[in-house]
Amino acid sequence: MFDKLKSLPARYSMPLLAVFIVLLYVVTNKVVVPLVMKVMDSELFLVPDEEHEELGKISNQRTDFALLQCKAAMKDENQIPETAQFDDSIYEAWALGGRTYVIRSQVTVPVEGQGMATRKYACKIQFAGGDVGNAENWSILGIDFNEPASE
């Protein structure tokens, strides 16, 4: 087929290009786009959510356990000393969807030569399901600290 196209005179190249572009447009609009839309409307990529949880700022049993897991991770990874004191009474939590949470609170840590300093931190954590008290069901996605402020 390509040999026949090569043997055509050059004057037919522009009309053939125009026919090819029109054919490509028609195939795209009449075949490809409807197929893609049908797949998008199907439940092929739908991830079932067993429970409905409001997005945004929340406070419940799961966020309490998320805070505990964040604190344990910070100590396990030696990001803070064992003598650090957490202020759990003022923590805030946000649900991001997909059992992912952001926990924000503060911790008082000893600073060399300055005594104690309060540092705010944020922890992004995801719950895999199962028992909320089991540390293996939680994944720390990131922990971020602000600069220490002297008291």
Short mmCIF file of all heavy atoms in Angstrom, two decimals, residues 80-151:
data_model
loop_
_atom_site.label_atom_id
_atom_site.label_comp_id
_atom_site.label_asym_id
_atom_site.label_seq_id
_atom_site.Cartn_x
_atom_site.Cartn_y
_atom_site.Cartn_z
N ILE A 80 13.16 13.31 67.86
CA ILE A 80 13.08 14.04 69.12
C ILE A 80 13.65 13.15 70.21
O ILE A 80 13.63 11.92 70.08
CB ILE A 80 11.62 14.45 69.47
CG1 ILE A 80 10.73 13.22 69.55
CG2 ILE A 80 11.09 15.45 68.48
CD1 ILE A 80 9.36 13.50 70.09
N PRO A 81 14.14 13.73 71.30
CA PRO A 81 14.69 12.89 72.39
C PRO A 81 13.56 12.21 73.17
O PRO A 81 12.41 12.62 73.13
CB PRO A 81 15.44 13.90 73.26
CG PRO A 81 14.86 15.22 72.92
CD PRO A 81 14.37 15.15 71.52
N GLU A 82 13.93 11.18 73.88
CA GLU A 82 12.96 10.43 74.70
C GLU A 82 12.34 11.31 75.78
O GLU A 82 11.25 11.03 76.25
CB GLU A 82 13.64 9.21 75.33
CG GLU A 82 13.95 8.11 74.36
CD GLU A 82 12.70 7.41 73.84
OE1 GLU A 82 11.72 7.28 74.59
OE2 GLU A 82 12.72 7.00 72.67
N THR A 83 13.04 12.37 76.19
CA THR A 83 12.55 13.23 77.27
C THR A 83 11.57 14.29 76.76
O THR A 83 11.11 15.12 77.55
CB THR A 83 13.73 13.93 77.96
OG1 THR A 83 14.45 14.69 76.99
CG2 THR A 83 14.65 12.90 78.62
N ALA A 84 11.26 14.30 75.50
CA ALA A 84 10.33 15.29 74.94
C ALA A 84 8.95 15.14 75.57
O ALA A 84 8.52 14.04 75.90
CB ALA A 84 10.25 15.14 73.44
N GLN A 85 8.29 16.28 75.72
CA GLN A 85 6.96 16.29 76.33
C GLN A 85 5.95 16.78 75.29
O GLN A 85 6.05 17.90 74.80
CB GLN A 85 6.94 17.21 77.54
CG GLN A 85 7.91 16.79 78.62
CD GLN A 85 8.08 17.87 79.68
OE1 GLN A 85 7.53 18.96 79.57
NE2 GLN A 85 8.83 17.56 80.71
N PHE A 86 4.99 15.93 74.99
CA PHE A 86 3.97 16.26 74.01
C PHE A 86 2.80 16.96 74.69
O PHE A 86 2.43 16.60 75.80
CB PHE A 86 3.47 15.00 73.30
CG PHE A 86 4.47 14.41 72.37
CD1 PHE A 86 5.34 13.42 72.81
CD2 PHE A 86 4.55 14.82 71.06
CE1 PHE A 86 6.27 12.86 71.96
CE2 PHE A 86 5.48 14.27 70.20
CZ PHE A 86 6.34 13.29 70.65
N ASP A 87 2.23 17.93 74.01
CA ASP A 87 1.03 18.60 74.50
C ASP A 87 -0.15 18.09 73.68
O ASP A 87 -0.50 18.65 72.65
CB ASP A 87 1.17 20.12 74.38
CG ASP A 87 0.04 20.85 75.08
OD1 ASP A 87 -0.86 20.18 75.62
OD2 ASP A 87 0.05 22.09 75.07
N ASP A 88 -0.73 16.99 74.14
CA ASP A 88 -1.80 16.34 73.39
C ASP A 88 -3.13 17.08 73.46
O ASP A 88 -4.03 16.83 72.66
CB ASP A 88 -2.02 14.91 73.91
CG ASP A 88 -0.82 14.03 73.67
OD1 ASP A 88 0.08 14.44 72.92
OD2 ASP A 88 -0.78 12.92 74.25
N SER A 89 -3.27 17.99 74.38
CA SER A 89 -4.55 18.66 74.57
C SER A 89 -4.89 19.63 73.44
O SER A 89 -6.05 19.98 73.26
CB SER A 89 -4.57 19.40 75.91
OG SER A 89 -3.60 20.44 75.89
N ILE A 90 -3.90 20.07 72.69
CA ILE A 90 -4.18 21.07 71.65
C ILE A 90 -3.95 20.55 70.24
O ILE A 90 -3.83 21.33 69.31
CB ILE A 90 -3.32 22.33 71.87
CG1 ILE A 90 -1.84 21.98 71.78
CG2 ILE A 90 -3.65 23.02 73.16
CD1 ILE A 90 -0.94 23.18 71.66
N TYR A 91 -3.93 19.24 70.05
CA TYR A 91 -3.67 18.74 68.70
C TYR A 91 -4.88 19.00 67.79
O TYR A 91 -6.01 19.10 68.24
CB TYR A 91 -3.29 17.26 68.73
CG TYR A 91 -4.42 16.27 68.61
CD1 TYR A 91 -4.83 15.82 67.35
CD2 TYR A 91 -5.07 15.78 69.73
CE1 TYR A 91 -5.86 14.91 67.24
CE2 TYR A 91 -6.09 14.87 69.62
CZ TYR A 91 -6.49 14.43 68.36
OH TYR A 91 -7.50 13.53 68.24
N GLU A 92 -4.58 19.15 66.50
CA GLU A 92 -5.61 19.32 65.49
C GLU A 92 -5.40 18.24 64.44
O GLU A 92 -4.28 17.83 64.17
CB GLU A 92 -5.50 20.69 64.82
CG GLU A 92 -5.75 21.85 65.76
CD GLU A 92 -5.55 23.18 65.07
OE1 GLU A 92 -4.40 23.45 64.67
OE2 GLU A 92 -6.54 23.92 64.93
N ALA A 93 -6.49 17.79 63.84
CA ALA A 93 -6.41 16.75 62.83
C ALA A 93 -7.33 17.09 61.67
O ALA A 93 -8.41 17.66 61.85
CB ALA A 93 -6.80 15.40 63.43
N TRP A 94 -6.87 16.73 60.47
CA TRP A 94 -7.66 16.92 59.26
C TRP A 94 -7.71 15.60 58.50
O TRP A 94 -6.67 14.94 58.32
CB TRP A 94 -7.03 17.98 58.35
CG TRP A 94 -7.14 19.35 58.90
CD1 TRP A 94 -8.13 20.26 58.69
CD2 TRP A 94 -6.21 20.00 59.78
NE1 TRP A 94 -7.86 21.42 59.38
CE2 TRP A 94 -6.69 21.28 60.04
CE3 TRP A 94 -5.00 19.61 60.36
CZ2 TRP A 94 -6.02 22.18 60.87
CZ3 TRP A 94 -4.33 20.49 61.18
CH2 TRP A 94 -4.85 21.77 61.42
N ALA A 95 -8.89 15.23 58.04
CA ALA A 95 -9.05 14.06 57.19
C ALA A 95 -8.89 14.50 55.74
O ALA A 95 -9.52 15.46 55.30
CB ALA A 95 -10.43 13.43 57.39
N LEU A 96 -8.02 13.80 55.01
CA LEU A 96 -7.75 14.14 53.63
C LEU A 96 -8.44 13.20 52.65
O LEU A 96 -8.40 13.41 51.45
CB LEU A 96 -6.23 14.11 53.36
CG LEU A 96 -5.37 14.99 54.25
CD1 LEU A 96 -3.91 14.82 53.89
CD2 LEU A 96 -5.78 16.45 54.13
N GLY A 97 -9.07 12.15 53.17
CA GLY A 97 -9.70 11.15 52.32
C GLY A 97 -8.78 9.95 52.16
O GLY A 97 -7.56 10.05 52.29
N GLY A 98 -9.36 8.82 51.88
CA GLY A 98 -8.56 7.61 51.73
C GLY A 98 -7.86 7.19 53.00
O GLY A 98 -6.76 6.66 52.96
N ARG A 99 -8.48 7.50 54.14
CA ARG A 99 -7.93 7.18 55.46
C ARG A 99 -6.57 7.84 55.70
O ARG A 99 -5.70 7.30 56.37
CB ARG A 99 -7.80 5.68 55.66
CG ARG A 99 -9.11 4.94 55.61
CD ARG A 99 -8.86 3.47 55.77
NE ARG A 99 -10.11 2.73 55.80
CZ ARG A 99 -10.17 1.42 55.73
NH1 ARG A 99 -9.06 0.71 55.66
NH2 ARG A 99 -11.31 0.80 55.76
N THR A 100 -6.38 9.01 55.12
CA THR A 100 -5.14 9.77 55.30
C THR A 100 -5.46 10.99 56.15
O THR A 100 -6.48 11.65 55.94
CB THR A 100 -4.56 10.19 53.94
OG1 THR A 100 -4.35 9.02 53.16
CG2 THR A 100 -3.25 10.91 54.10
N TYR A 101 -4.56 11.29 57.09
CA TYR A 101 -4.79 12.38 58.04
C TYR A 101 -3.54 13.24 58.16
O TYR A 101 -2.42 12.76 57.98
CB TYR A 101 -5.14 11.82 59.42
CG TYR A 101 -6.31 10.89 59.39
CD1 TYR A 101 -6.12 9.51 59.26
CD2 TYR A 101 -7.61 11.36 59.45
CE1 TYR A 101 -7.19 8.64 59.20
CE2 TYR A 101 -8.68 10.50 59.39
CZ TYR A 101 -8.47 9.15 59.26
OH TYR A 101 -9.53 8.29 59.18
N VAL A 102 -3.76 14.49 58.51
CA VAL A 102 -2.67 15.37 58.91
C VAL A 102 -2.93 15.73 60.36
O VAL A 102 -4.01 16.19 60.72
CB VAL A 102 -2.61 16.65 58.04
CG1 VAL A 102 -1.62 17.64 58.61
CG2 VAL A 102 -2.24 16.31 56.61
N ILE A 103 -1.93 15.49 61.19
CA ILE A 103 -2.01 15.78 62.62
C ILE A 103 -1.04 16.91 62.90
O ILE A 103 0.11 16.87 62.49
CB ILE A 103 -1.61 14.55 63.46
CG1 ILE A 103 -2.40 13.30 63.04
CG2 ILE A 103 -1.74 14.84 64.94
CD1 ILE A 103 -3.87 13.37 63.30
N ARG A 104 -1.52 17.95 63.61
CA ARG A 104 -0.65 19.07 63.97
C ARG A 104 -0.74 19.28 65.47
O ARG A 104 -1.83 19.33 66.04
CB ARG A 104 -1.07 20.34 63.23
CG ARG A 104 -0.12 21.50 63.51
CD ARG A 104 -0.48 22.69 62.71
NE ARG A 104 -1.70 23.27 63.25
CZ ARG A 104 -2.28 24.36 62.78
NH1 ARG A 104 -1.77 24.97 61.75
NH2 ARG A 104 -3.38 24.83 63.33
N SER A 105 0.42 19.40 66.10
CA SER A 105 0.48 19.62 67.54
C SER A 105 1.82 20.24 67.88
O SER A 105 2.50 20.75 66.99
CB SER A 105 0.28 18.30 68.30
OG SER A 105 0.13 18.54 69.68
N GLN A 106 2.18 20.17 69.14
CA GLN A 106 3.48 20.71 69.54
C GLN A 106 4.13 19.82 70.58
O GLN A 106 3.47 19.04 71.25
CB GLN A 106 3.35 22.14 70.06
CG GLN A 106 2.51 22.32 71.30
CD GLN A 106 2.32 23.79 71.63
OE1 GLN A 106 2.31 24.63 70.74
NE2 GLN A 106 2.17 24.08 72.89
N VAL A 107 5.45 19.94 70.64
CA VAL A 107 6.24 19.14 71.55
C VAL A 107 7.28 20.06 72.19
O VAL A 107 7.80 20.96 71.54
CB VAL A 107 6.90 17.94 70.82
CG1 VAL A 107 7.81 18.41 69.71
CG2 VAL A 107 7.63 17.04 71.79
N THR A 108 7.54 19.84 73.47
CA THR A 108 8.56 20.60 74.18
C THR A 108 9.81 19.74 74.26
O THR A 108 9.76 18.61 74.77
CB THR A 108 8.07 20.99 75.58
OG1 THR A 108 6.84 21.71 75.44
CG2 THR A 108 9.08 21.87 76.29
N VAL A 109 10.90 20.27 73.73
CA VAL A 109 12.15 19.51 73.68
C VAL A 109 13.26 20.30 74.35
O VAL A 109 13.25 21.54 74.35
CB VAL A 109 12.56 19.20 72.22
CG1 VAL A 109 11.57 18.26 71.57
CG2 VAL A 109 12.70 20.46 71.40
N PRO A 110 14.22 19.60 74.95
CA PRO A 110 15.37 20.31 75.54
C PRO A 110 16.28 20.82 74.42
O PRO A 110 16.55 20.12 73.45
CB PRO A 110 16.06 19.24 76.38
CG PRO A 110 15.58 17.93 75.85
CD PRO A 110 14.26 18.17 75.22
N VAL A 111 16.72 22.08 74.58
CA VAL A 111 17.64 22.69 73.63
C VAL A 111 18.90 23.04 74.39
O VAL A 111 18.85 23.67 75.44
CB VAL A 111 17.02 23.95 72.98
CG1 VAL A 111 18.02 24.61 72.04
CG2 VAL A 111 15.75 23.60 72.26
N GLU A 112 20.03 22.61 73.86
CA GLU A 112 21.30 22.80 74.53
C GLU A 112 21.56 24.27 74.84
O GLU A 112 21.50 25.12 73.96
CB GLU A 112 22.45 22.27 73.65
CG GLU A 112 23.38 21.35 74.40
CD GLU A 112 24.43 20.79 73.50
OE1 GLU A 112 24.14 19.76 72.86
OE2 GLU A 112 25.52 21.38 73.43
N GLY A 113 21.79 24.58 76.09
CA GLY A 113 22.11 25.94 76.51
C GLY A 113 20.92 26.87 76.63
O GLY A 113 21.06 28.00 77.08
N GLN A 114 19.73 26.42 76.24
CA GLN A 114 18.56 27.30 76.29
C GLN A 114 17.45 26.74 77.17
O GLN A 114 16.43 27.39 77.36
CB GLN A 114 18.00 27.52 74.89
CG GLN A 114 18.93 28.25 73.97
CD GLN A 114 18.30 28.44 72.59
OE1 GLN A 114 17.21 27.98 72.30
NE2 GLN A 114 19.01 29.16 71.74
N GLY A 115 17.60 25.57 77.67
CA GLY A 115 16.53 24.96 78.47
C GLY A 115 15.57 24.21 77.57
O GLY A 115 15.97 23.38 76.76
N MET A 116 14.29 24.53 77.68
CA MET A 116 13.26 23.84 76.91
C MET A 116 12.73 24.76 75.82
O MET A 116 12.63 25.97 76.01
CB MET A 116 12.11 23.41 77.82
CG MET A 116 12.53 22.45 78.93
SD MET A 116 13.15 20.89 78.32
CE MET A 116 11.65 19.99 78.13
N ALA A 117 12.38 24.18 74.68
CA ALA A 117 11.81 24.94 73.57
C ALA A 117 10.61 24.18 73.03
O ALA A 117 10.58 22.95 73.01
CB ALA A 117 12.85 25.14 72.47
N THR A 118 9.62 24.93 72.60
CA THR A 118 8.42 24.33 72.04
C THR A 118 8.54 24.34 70.52
O THR A 118 8.84 25.36 69.92
CB THR A 118 7.16 25.12 72.46
OG1 THR A 118 7.09 25.09 73.89
CG2 THR A 118 5.92 24.51 71.89
N ARG A 119 8.30 23.18 69.94
CA ARG A 119 8.33 23.06 68.48
C ARG A 119 6.98 22.52 68.01
O ARG A 119 6.47 21.55 68.56
CB ARG A 119 9.43 22.09 68.04
CG ARG A 119 10.82 22.59 68.35
CD ARG A 119 11.86 21.68 67.81
NE ARG A 119 11.93 21.82 66.36
CZ ARG A 119 12.72 21.09 65.58
NH1 ARG A 119 13.49 20.17 66.12
NH2 ARG A 119 12.73 21.26 64.29
N LYS A 120 6.44 23.17 67.01
CA LYS A 120 5.22 22.66 66.40
C LYS A 120 5.61 21.66 65.33
O LYS A 120 6.66 21.78 64.70
CB LYS A 120 4.41 23.80 65.80
CG LYS A 120 3.84 24.72 66.87
CD LYS A 120 2.91 25.73 66.30
CE LYS A 120 2.36 26.56 67.44
NZ LYS A 120 1.37 27.51 67.01
N TYR A 121 4.77 20.67 65.14
CA TYR A 121 5.04 19.66 64.12
C TYR A 121 3.75 19.29 63.41
O TYR A 121 2.65 19.50 63.92
CB TYR A 121 5.69 18.41 64.72
CG TYR A 121 4.81 17.62 65.64
CD1 TYR A 121 3.99 16.61 65.16
CD2 TYR A 121 4.77 17.90 67.01
CE1 TYR A 121 3.18 15.88 66.01
CE2 TYR A 121 3.96 17.18 67.86
CZ TYR A 121 3.17 16.17 67.35
OH TYR A 121 2.36 15.47 68.20
N ALA A 122 3.91 18.76 62.22
CA ALA A 122 2.80 18.22 61.45
C ALA A 122 3.20 16.83 60.99
O ALA A 122 4.35 16.59 60.61
CB ALA A 122 2.47 19.09 60.26
N CYS A 123 2.26 15.92 61.04
CA CYS A 123 2.51 14.53 60.69
C CYS A 123 1.42 14.09 59.71
O CYS A 123 0.24 14.23 59.99
CB CYS A 123 2.48 13.67 61.95
SG CYS A 123 2.59 11.91 61.68
N LYS A 124 1.83 13.57 58.57
CA LYS A 124 0.87 13.01 57.61
C LYS A 124 0.93 11.50 57.77
O LYS A 124 2.00 10.90 57.71
CB LYS A 124 1.24 13.42 56.19
CG LYS A 124 0.19 13.03 55.17
CD LYS A 124 0.53 13.61 53.81
CE LYS A 124 -0.53 13.23 52.80
NZ LYS A 124 -0.17 13.71 51.46
N ILE A 125 -0.23 10.90 57.98
CA ILE A 125 -0.29 9.48 58.32
C ILE A 125 -1.48 8.84 57.60
O ILE A 125 -2.49 9.50 57.35
CB ILE A 125 -0.39 9.31 59.86
CG1 ILE A 125 -0.27 7.87 60.27
CG2 ILE A 125 -1.63 9.97 60.41
CD1 ILE A 125 -0.06 7.68 61.77
N GLN A 126 -1.32 7.57 57.26
CA GLN A 126 -2.40 6.85 56.58
C GLN A 126 -2.72 5.57 57.33
O GLN A 126 -1.83 4.85 57.78
CB GLN A 126 -1.99 6.52 55.15
CG GLN A 126 -3.12 5.90 54.35
CD GLN A 126 -2.77 5.77 52.88
OE1 GLN A 126 -1.62 5.57 52.52
NE2 GLN A 126 -3.78 5.88 52.04
N PHE A 127 -4.01 5.30 57.44
CA PHE A 127 -4.50 4.10 58.11
C PHE A 127 -4.84 3.06 57.05
O PHE A 127 -5.58 3.33 56.11
CB PHE A 127 -5.74 4.46 58.94
CG PHE A 127 -6.36 3.31 59.67
CD1 PHE A 127 -5.64 2.58 60.59
CD2 PHE A 127 -7.68 2.97 59.46
CE1 PHE A 127 -6.20 1.52 61.27
CE2 PHE A 127 -8.26 1.92 60.14
CZ PHE A 127 -7.51 1.19 61.05
N ALA A 128 -4.31 1.86 57.20
CA ALA A 128 -4.52 0.80 56.20
C ALA A 128 -5.80 0.01 56.44
O ALA A 128 -6.28 -0.68 55.56
CB ALA A 128 -3.32 -0.14 56.19
N GLY A 129 -6.35 0.11 57.62
CA GLY A 129 -7.54 -0.66 57.96
C GLY A 129 -7.22 -1.66 59.05
O GLY A 129 -6.07 -1.92 59.36
N GLY A 130 -8.25 -2.21 59.64
CA GLY A 130 -8.07 -3.17 60.72
C GLY A 130 -8.18 -2.48 62.07
O GLY A 130 -8.94 -1.53 62.25
N ASP A 131 -7.39 -2.96 63.01
CA ASP A 131 -7.41 -2.44 64.37
C ASP A 131 -6.64 -1.12 64.42
O ASP A 131 -5.46 -1.07 64.07
CB ASP A 131 -6.78 -3.46 65.32
CG ASP A 131 -6.75 -2.99 66.76
OD1 ASP A 131 -7.57 -2.12 67.12
OD2 ASP A 131 -5.91 -3.49 67.52
N VAL A 132 -7.29 -0.04 64.87
CA VAL A 132 -6.62 1.27 64.92
C VAL A 132 -5.50 1.29 65.95
O VAL A 132 -4.58 2.09 65.85
CB VAL A 132 -7.61 2.42 65.20
CG1 VAL A 132 -8.54 2.64 64.04
CG2 VAL A 132 -8.37 2.21 66.48
N GLY A 133 -5.54 0.42 66.93
CA GLY A 133 -4.52 0.37 67.96
C GLY A 133 -3.25 -0.35 67.55
O GLY A 133 -2.24 -0.27 68.23
N ASN A 134 -3.28 -1.04 66.43
CA ASN A 134 -2.13 -1.80 65.95
C ASN A 134 -1.24 -0.88 65.11
O ASN A 134 -1.66 -0.36 64.07
CB ASN A 134 -2.59 -2.99 65.12
CG ASN A 134 -1.45 -3.90 64.72
OD1 ASN A 134 -0.28 -3.57 64.89
ND2 ASN A 134 -1.81 -5.05 64.16
N ALA A 135 0.00 -0.71 65.53
CA ALA A 135 0.92 0.19 64.83
C ALA A 135 1.23 -0.25 63.41
O ALA A 135 1.56 0.57 62.55
CB ALA A 135 2.23 0.32 65.63
N GLU A 136 1.10 -1.54 63.13
CA GLU A 136 1.39 -2.04 61.79
C GLU A 136 0.34 -1.61 60.77
O GLU A 136 0.56 -1.73 59.57
CB GLU A 136 1.51 -3.57 61.82
CG GLU A 136 2.71 -4.04 62.60
CD GLU A 136 2.79 -5.55 62.70
OE1 GLU A 136 1.95 -6.24 62.07
OE2 GLU A 136 3.70 -6.03 63.39
N ASN A 137 -0.82 -1.14 61.24
CA ASN A 137 -1.88 -0.69 60.34
C ASN A 137 -1.75 0.79 59.97
O ASN A 137 -2.61 1.32 59.28
CB ASN A 137 -3.25 -0.95 60.97
CG ASN A 137 -3.53 -2.43 61.11
OD1 ASN A 137 -3.01 -3.23 60.37
ND2 ASN A 137 -4.35 -2.78 62.08
N TRP A 138 -0.69 1.43 60.42
CA TRP A 138 -0.49 2.85 60.15
C TRP A 138 0.81 3.04 59.36
O TRP A 138 1.78 2.35 59.61
CB TRP A 138 -0.39 3.63 61.46
CG TRP A 138 -1.66 3.68 62.23
CD1 TRP A 138 -2.06 2.82 63.21
CD2 TRP A 138 -2.71 4.63 62.09
NE1 TRP A 138 -3.29 3.18 63.69
CE2 TRP A 138 -3.72 4.29 63.02
CE3 TRP A 138 -2.91 5.74 61.26
CZ2 TRP A 138 -4.89 5.02 63.14
CZ3 TRP A 138 -4.08 6.46 61.40
CH2 TRP A 138 -5.06 6.11 62.32
N SER A 139 0.80 4.00 58.47
CA SER A 139 2.00 4.34 57.70
C SER A 139 2.25 5.83 57.83
O SER A 139 1.38 6.64 57.53
CB SER A 139 1.82 4.02 56.22
OG SER A 139 1.60 2.65 56.03
N ILE A 140 3.44 6.19 58.28
CA ILE A 140 3.82 7.59 58.38
C ILE A 140 4.25 8.05 56.99
O ILE A 140 5.18 7.49 56.41
CB ILE A 140 4.96 7.80 59.39
CG1 ILE A 140 4.57 7.27 60.78
CG2 ILE A 140 5.38 9.26 59.44
CD1 ILE A 140 3.47 8.04 61.45
N LEU A 141 3.59 9.07 56.46
CA LEU A 141 3.92 9.58 55.13
C LEU A 141 4.87 10.76 55.19
O LEU A 141 5.48 11.11 54.18
CB LEU A 141 2.63 9.97 54.40
CG LEU A 141 1.60 8.85 54.26
CD1 LEU A 141 0.34 9.37 53.62
CD2 LEU A 141 2.17 7.68 53.48
N GLY A 142 4.99 11.38 56.37
CA GLY A 142 5.93 12.48 56.52
C GLY A 142 5.72 13.22 57.83
O GLY A 142 4.61 13.28 58.35
N ILE A 143 6.82 13.75 58.35
CA ILE A 143 6.78 14.55 59.58
C ILE A 143 7.59 15.81 59.31
O ILE A 143 8.68 15.75 58.76
CB ILE A 143 7.37 13.78 60.78
CG1 ILE A 143 6.54 12.52 61.06
CG2 ILE A 143 7.41 14.67 62.02
CD1 ILE A 143 7.13 11.61 62.11
N ASP A 144 7.04 16.96 59.73
CA ASP A 144 7.71 18.23 59.49
C ASP A 144 7.67 19.06 60.77
O ASP A 144 6.64 19.13 61.43
CB ASP A 144 7.03 18.99 58.35
CG ASP A 144 7.80 20.20 57.92
OD1 ASP A 144 9.05 20.16 57.96
OD2 ASP A 144 7.16 21.20 57.54
N PHE A 145 8.80 19.65 61.13
CA PHE A 145 8.92 20.48 62.32
C PHE A 145 9.16 21.93 61.92
O PHE A 145 9.79 22.20 60.90
CB PHE A 145 10.12 20.04 63.18
CG PHE A 145 9.92 18.75 63.89
CD1 PHE A 145 10.36 17.56 63.32
CD2 PHE A 145 9.31 18.70 65.12
CE1 PHE A 145 10.20 16.36 63.97
CE2 PHE A 145 9.15 17.50 65.77
CZ PHE A 145 9.57 16.33 65.19
N ASN A 146 8.69 22.86 62.77
CA ASN A 146 9.09 24.25 62.58
C ASN A 146 10.36 24.49 63.37
O ASN A 146 10.82 23.63 64.11
CB ASN A 146 7.97 25.21 63.01
CG ASN A 146 7.82 25.29 64.53
OD1 ASN A 146 8.22 24.38 65.27
ND2 ASN A 146 7.24 26.37 65.00
N GLU A 147 10.94 25.64 63.21
CA GLU A 147 12.15 25.97 63.96
C GLU A 147 11.80 26.14 65.43
O GLU A 147 10.73 26.66 65.76
CB GLU A 147 12.77 27.25 63.42
CG GLU A 147 13.35 27.08 62.03
CD GLU A 147 14.43 26.02 61.97
OE1 GLU A 147 15.30 25.98 62.87
OE2 GLU A 147 14.41 25.21 61.03
N PRO A 148 12.67 25.73 66.35
CA PRO A 148 12.35 25.85 67.78
C PRO A 148 12.27 27.31 68.21
O PRO A 148 13.03 28.15 67.74
CB PRO A 148 13.51 25.13 68.48
CG PRO A 148 14.60 25.07 67.48
CD PRO A 148 13.98 25.12 66.13
N ALA A 149 11.32 27.57 69.08
CA ALA A 149 11.18 28.91 69.65
C ALA A 149 11.46 28.81 71.14
O ALA A 149 10.89 27.97 71.82
CB ALA A 149 9.77 29.44 69.41
N SER A 150 12.32 29.65 71.64
CA SER A 150 12.66 29.63 73.07
C SER A 150 11.50 30.14 73.88
O SER A 150 10.79 31.06 73.48
CB SER A 150 13.91 30.48 73.33
OG SER A 150 14.98 29.98 72.59
N GLU A 151 11.35 29.56 75.07
CA GLU A 151 10.26 30.03 75.95
C GLU A 151 10.77 31.10 76.87
O GLU A 151 11.90 31.22 77.18
CB GLU A 151 9.72 28.85 76.77
CG GLU A 151 8.96 27.90 75.90
CD GLU A 151 8.28 26.81 76.71
OE1 GLU A 151 8.58 26.62 77.91
OE2 GLU A 151 7.44 26.13 76.16
#
